Amino acid sequence: MMRIFSLEEIKKSFFTCLWFGFLTFPIMVVRVNTIEDVVEWRWNNLIIVVFGSFFLSFLWRYMIERKEAGRKKAESGEAEKKPLVRRIMDNPRIYRPLLAAVAIFVLSFPFLFSSYQTNIMTTALIYVMLGLGLNIVIGLAGLLDLGYVAFYAAGAYTYALLNYHFGLGFWTVLPLGAVVGAIMGILLGFPVLRLRGDYLAIVTLGFGEIIRLVMENWNEFSFGPSGIANIPRPGFFGMDLSLTAATNYIYYIMIGMVLITIFFVNRLQNSRIGRAWIALREDEIACQAMGIDKTKTKLTAFSLGATWAGMAGVIFAAKTTFINPASFTFLESAIILCIVVLGGMGSIVGVILGALVLILLPEYLRAFSDYRMVLFGATLVLMMVFRPQGLVSDVRRVYQFKGATEKGE
Amino acid sequence: MEPILEVNKLSMDFGGLRALDAVDLDVKNGEIAALIGPNGAGKTTFFNCITGIYNPSGGDIYIAPPGKKNGNRPERINGIKPNHVTKKGMARTFQNIRLFGSMTVLENVMIGRHCRTRTGVAGAMLRLKSTVREEQDLVDFSYGILERMGLARFVNDLAKNLPYGAQRRLEIARALATEPFLLLLDEPAAGMNPQETRDLVDLIVRIRDDEKVSVMLIEHDMKLVMTLSDRIFVMDYGKKIAQGKPSEIKNDPVVIKAYLGEDVDA
């Protein structure tokens, strides 16, 4: 580890910081004051840049080296230290109380914090649900879908329009939203069956934009950019709830929905269907040669992924009571994608963590809101370099057999 | 013995290139057939055509699964999808290993059973009684195959972490899980050391005798081909140039010419 302080390394960092100082010199040091017609030399900045880049280049190479060392260890068969999350999850004596604590915290959240906080938490939970849905499409089936927000929009507009025209209530539309999402998923799935990778990404991106543009321009149908207002909140046995009570109520609905989502997604991914999805992600040709119907498997992935987005959309519409196309831009798709990638593709715990980190951190770090996007981007770049598998990597189910541990054949 | 696979005048064109030129071939029940030929002769193209990965430009492929109750009428399978070919009972392995690397060894074999199991989305989400039973049977069946293939100790390892020889065997195990009547092996011994190759020979014989699965293999290892095969087909430039017993092939001047070139000086 101390190899990093060798002369060689110091030389490398030295040249890096020289080069960096030179490159940033015109912007960081020289400033022409046009009013007084003088050139200001800000040498302080140069010092900061040079020392900063010297230090950072060290840190960067140290991290790379650590990562390489870890990989070599894994390759040479040495037992890799189990990641923290995995160790917690494997030990019932730790995770049971932890789970209970989380459950109590989650259930009492609205009573501990203001309704503003509850609202933010509800938003985060909607993204957890969206992330888990997209996780089916991207994490399990390996289909890079950049237009996921279209299904979310479809769900939201389903509730808004059905309520506006026919007065249908939240609980009636929630399953309808799921159905609409699933149908949209199949509609998108059909034309893109032959595509994969980059091509698939571009087509789904286009699909997402088409849905948004239609909603924005088809005034007779969707009321265009002005959107639809006065969408009722979920009913509670016909009672009128105060604003706080309604906020808390949606929060609990969302908790329930997330639990249902986790329950079903967990079952799906360890089932025949889930294994087929993963096989499709791993190797399309081998997957077909093993008797898996590619068409059917892709379509179920698209439609089941979209189902959750459809339901999340209905809840979103009920929560904000107002929707317009501006809520369903490509940025939303990108954020949901980041949740899945940052959290760990295919891992339910990872996706939940990813959603909470990506949605809650910006809310609580409002002081740094100017740097939000910079931090966002930097975090993702660093994640991809140092931990491409995400916060929590997916671990396959282990089966127990008598005699399976015996050595020799 | 009646043939279980019969290929008549199979041709495959890629643009102007004729990769397969009217190839006739048949595999009989319970035999090990080998397909050999120099590199680029069209052997893998032949496999890809009969397993539905390519749609052949001409000719007919008939299969007649043995042991069917209602007679043994050959069925034409030209141009059907790969997953249907597998379902009808022809499973294959690949020249460059194509395992599902981030799945466990057991799961790889379980994938092979996909077309023989039925659980749908609703069954998976609700975990019905039939699903649970099917899943348990699936795990037991798959573990049984792993045991017979000598892979039981790797059962929960990720497929990509297996040693090379074990990966090759896992591919065979995965193909066997589809319950084929004919197993198509594309260069199963490629990259193996002599010991692994000897184990492979035993394994293939066991597959034919114990599992009652006929085998057709593409291979460059002549020693393996000569010891294993009942019949050998030789291809060169997309054409079948010879067929027969190993002893006949060994001394066939056409074959020697194809392998060693025009002027053969002993």
Side-chain angles (χ1 to χ4, degrees), chain A residues 180-198:
Chain A
V180 170
I183 292 171
M184 295 273 289
I186 292 174
L187 282 183
L188 167 66
F190 262 116
V192 301
L193 277 174
R194 292 159 172 278
L195 305 177
R196 55 206 279 192
D198 320 358

Side-chain angles (χ1 to χ4, degrees), chain B residues 55-73:
Chain B
N55 190 1
S57 332
D60 302 299
I61 308 159
Y62 292 100
I63 55 167
K68 255 196 180 170
K69 281 180 193 100
N70 47 349
N72 217 353
R73 282 253 308 283

Side-chain angles (χ1 to χ4, degrees), chain A residues 172-252:
Chain A
T172 325
V173 181
L174 190 61
L176 284 179
V179 172
V180 170
I183 292 171
M184 295 273 289
I186 292 174
L187 282 183
L188 167 66
F190 262 116
V192 301
L193 277 174
R194 292 159 172 278
L195 305 177
R196 55 206 279 192
D198 320 358
Y199 307 102
L200 178 72
I202 290 168
V203 174
T204 51
L205 174 73
F207 178 77
E209 285 300 283
I210 287 170
I211 297 291
R212 188 180 62 82
L213 287 173
V214 166
M215 290 303 171
E216 205 157 285
N217 293 295
W218 193 0
N219 288 326
E220 297 76 29
F221 176 70
S222 65
F223 304 98
S226 50
I228 303 167
N230 292 327
I231 304 166
R233 294 194 168 82
F236 186 67
F237 302 112
M239 279 198 284
D240 275 332
L241 296 172
S242 69
L243 190 61
T244 323
T247 309
N248 293 352
Y249 182 43
I250 292 188
Y251 172 79
Y252 285 120

Side-chain angles (χ1 to χ4, degrees), chain A residues 14 73 79-80 83 154 193 257 270 276-277 398:
Chain A
F14 180 69
K73 229 184 220 169
E80 214 179 338
L193 277 174
M257 288 306 295
N270 276 317
W277 286 336
V398 168

Side-chain angles (χ1 to χ4, degrees), chain B residues 27-48:
Chain B
V27 179
K28 298 190 171 68
N29 194 12
E31 89 174 338
I32 295 177
L35 183 58
I36 63 170
N39 286 328
K43 306 179 297 285
T44 299
T45 306
F46 179 82
F47 265 28
N48 284 342

Side-chain angles (χ1 to χ4, degrees), chain A residues 4-21:
Chain A
I4 194 100
F5 292 113
S6 71
L7 200 62
E8 186 74 10
E9 299 287 320
I10 289 172
K11 224 161 84 188
K12 258 190 206 163
S13 284
F14 180 69
F15 283 120
T16 308
C17 77
L18 267 191
W19 182 233
F20 217 75

Side-chain angles (χ1 to χ4, degrees), chain A residues 264 267 270-272 275-276 279 281-283 286 288-293 295 396 398-399 401 404 409, chain B residues 81 83 86 98 100-102 106-107 110-111 114 117 119 124-127 135 138-139 143 150 153 156 169:
Chain A
F264 282 131
R267 283 191 162 187
N270 276 317
S271 72
R272 173 173 174 269
R275 284 191 299 268
R281 176 188 78 192
E282 296 284 309
D283 193 321
Q288 277 185 291
M290 286 305 113
I292 292 171
D293 189 337
T295 312
R396 297 308 307 162
V398 168
Y399 296 82
F401 299 96
E409 287 159 41
Chain B
K81 283 188 182 168
N83 49 312
T86 310
R98 280 175 178 270
F100 307 121
S102 57
L106 185 73
E107 282 175 324
M110 284 161 86
I111 285 288
H114 187 92
T117 47
T119 301
M125 296 219 285
L126 304 174
R127 210 165 272 182
E135 194 78 357
L138 176 58
V139 170
Y143 187 66
R153 65 182 169 136
N156 282 319
R169 259 182 298 156

